[in-house]
Amino acid sequence: MKTFLGPACALCALSLIIAPSAGLAERDDPPPLTLPVLEDTVEEGAAVRETPDISKTAQLRYLRLVEGIIIFYKRYPAKARARRIGGKGSVYFALDQAGDIVAKSLRRSTGNALLDKEMLEIFDRIGQFPNPPDEIETFPIKIVVPIEYRPSSN
């Protein structure tokens, strides 16, 4: 496996981990890559872990689509916003061939239970992602997405 650093773009902040269809409960998953944080204003840059049989263009296109959907469904809890509570965390999730979320868990806490709960609820609101492209042949697709909540400075 090699690491691909994709073109700088506003919608490339996810890591895609392709692994054989081993059990989802296994803790031998590769460590998440260090990536820019998904936030209201997404930072530029990308990192994708790939296997030789998968088109990196298809991966990036699908990651951009997944990220756009996550951004659309992301909410900043009113109580946290009012109290100016912020934090950075990450969520692990896995998708099957149909785009169904077959696993999700908090990978790294924001340090606040309200924000952690909201990060997981994003995926409840999404329900299902679009089908992955045909170039992705290894399932489940394991993705780690960093998410940041930043109180405004107003």
Side-chain angles (χ1 to χ4, degrees):
M1 278 190 197
K2 63 180 181 176
T3 300
F4 169 72
L5 296 176
C9 70
L11 297 176
C12 301
L14 302 179
S15 66
L16 177 63
I17 302 169
I18 305 296
S21 57
L24 293 176
E26 292 181 6
R27 288 292 178 191
D28 294 337
D29 291 337
L33 301 170
T34 303
L35 301 169
V37 175
L38 182 67
E39 53 187 72
D40 294 329
T41 307
V42 180
E43 296 176 15
E44 294 186 350
V48 176
R49 183 170 291 197
E50 66 173 329
T51 54
D53 61 327
I54 296 174
S55 161
K56 58 187 164 197
T57 303
Q59 279 186 10
L60 287 174
R61 194 174 320 122
Y62 191 65
L63 288 176
R64 287 182 191 129
L65 177 62
V66 166
E67 183 177 32
I69 292 168
I70 292 169
I71 289 169
F72 180 81
Y73 283 95
K74 179 185 171 191
R75 304 288 178 263
Y76 200 134
K79 286 182 182 181
R81 186 183 299 271
R83 294 178 185 156
R84 301 183 52 78
I85 297 170
K88 296 178 186 178
S90 62
V91 174
Y92 158 85
F93 62 103
L95 304 176
D96 67 10
Q97 297 90 325
D100 290 320
I101 300 167
V102 295
K104 70 176 179 189
S105 64
L106 194 63
R107 178 72 112 192
R108 190 181 77 213
S109 173
T110 61
N112 180 276
L114 188 60
L115 295 179
D116 290 348
K117 181 176 183 259
E118 171 56 28
M119 284 196 309
L120 292 172
E121 287 177 357
I122 292 169
F123 298 90
D124 294 335
R125 288 191 293 274
I126 293 170
Q128 181 183 25
F129 287 92
N131 293 350
D134 293 336
E135 292 88 348
I136 298 178
E137 299 172 346
T138 307
F139 293 93
I141 301 171
K142 298 177 181 182
I143 303 173
V144 174
V145 59
I147 302 173
E148 180 174 10
Y149 294 92
R150 242 193 258 178
S152 63
S153 56
N154 296 343

